[in-house]
Amino acid sequence: MSVQSLRCASDTDEGYQGMIQFAYVMIGASGNHGVEMDSKGDASPRSFPQLYSATFVHHLEGNPESVSSDDQFDATLRLREGTGGEFGNIVVTNVPNVGVRQDDCGSEDRTHILPSSGAPDYLWFSSQNIIYGATGISAFDNQDSCASGGLSSARIQDPMLTLMPGTADEDTDFIDPRPKSGSPAYSSFDDTPSD
């Protein structure tokens, strides 16, 4: 769990290959990204994080201001530099502008259909993941080499969290990020990989 992340709650790079499961990240008003998943283009080994069953709560008035970041792009999830990986059962909510930004892609296959083989040379983002936020948000922002064949599909619906204000920050008295009964987070979910 990471609360009030000022830069990135989870940052992978340099060929990281591992599983992250049951993560909860809350990004404050001046926070940057919930994750920044990098690789080094097509260099070996390619990063291949497997992120399952995670909730990312941004701040609807968020404005990235972290001086430790190498950019100020406003996106809750940042995937770049040819990272591979698997992203399933993800809730991204209170998105102020962009849910997932992808740039500096390599030759990895970017898909919404989970391949049965080929790791680490694919980036799978489940179309069952949920992205929700302010009116007029972009669920995906695919830049430069990612524009062709970039990620483009998710469920755009309210995840119905129990008590999660759009402007939750370090001075918020009460939060409860559990999905309510009837939440779309309880349906159409993906199987997690075995250990």
Side-chain angles (χ1 to χ4, degrees), residues 57-75:
V57 179
H58 214 139
H59 190 288
L60 283 173
E61 297 170 2
N63 182 21
E65 298 173 0
S66 174
V67 295
S68 67
S69 181
D70 61 351
D71 68 57
Q72 299 301 310
F73 295 120
D74 185 12

Side-chain angles (χ1 to χ4, degrees), residues 66-134:
S66 174
V67 295
S68 67
S69 181
D70 61 351
D71 68 57
Q72 299 301 310
F73 295 120
D74 185 12
T76 306
L77 306 182
R78 180 84 189 277
L79 310 176
R80 64 182 190 168
E81 297 177 0
T83 192
E86 296 179 358
F87 295 82
N89 303 327
I90 309 291
V91 172
V92 181
T93 192
N94 291 355
V95 174
N97 291 302
V98 176
V100 180
R101 180 183 168 96
Q102 194 180 15
D103 56 21
D104 297 324
C105 290
S107 63
E108 75 281 358
D109 182 28
R110 295 172 300 282
T111 181
H112 296 289
I113 299 170
L114 181 61
S116 59
S117 64
D121 294 323
Y122 65 82
L123 173 59
W124 171 70
F125 190 89
S126 174
S127 60
Q128 299 302 322
N129 291 338
I130 297 170
I131 300 176
Y132 186 73

Side-chain angles (χ1 to χ4, degrees), residues 180-193:
K180 295 177 187 176
S181 177
S183 166
Y186 292 126
S187 65
S188 302
F189 48 87
D190 302 293
D191 292 332
T192 56

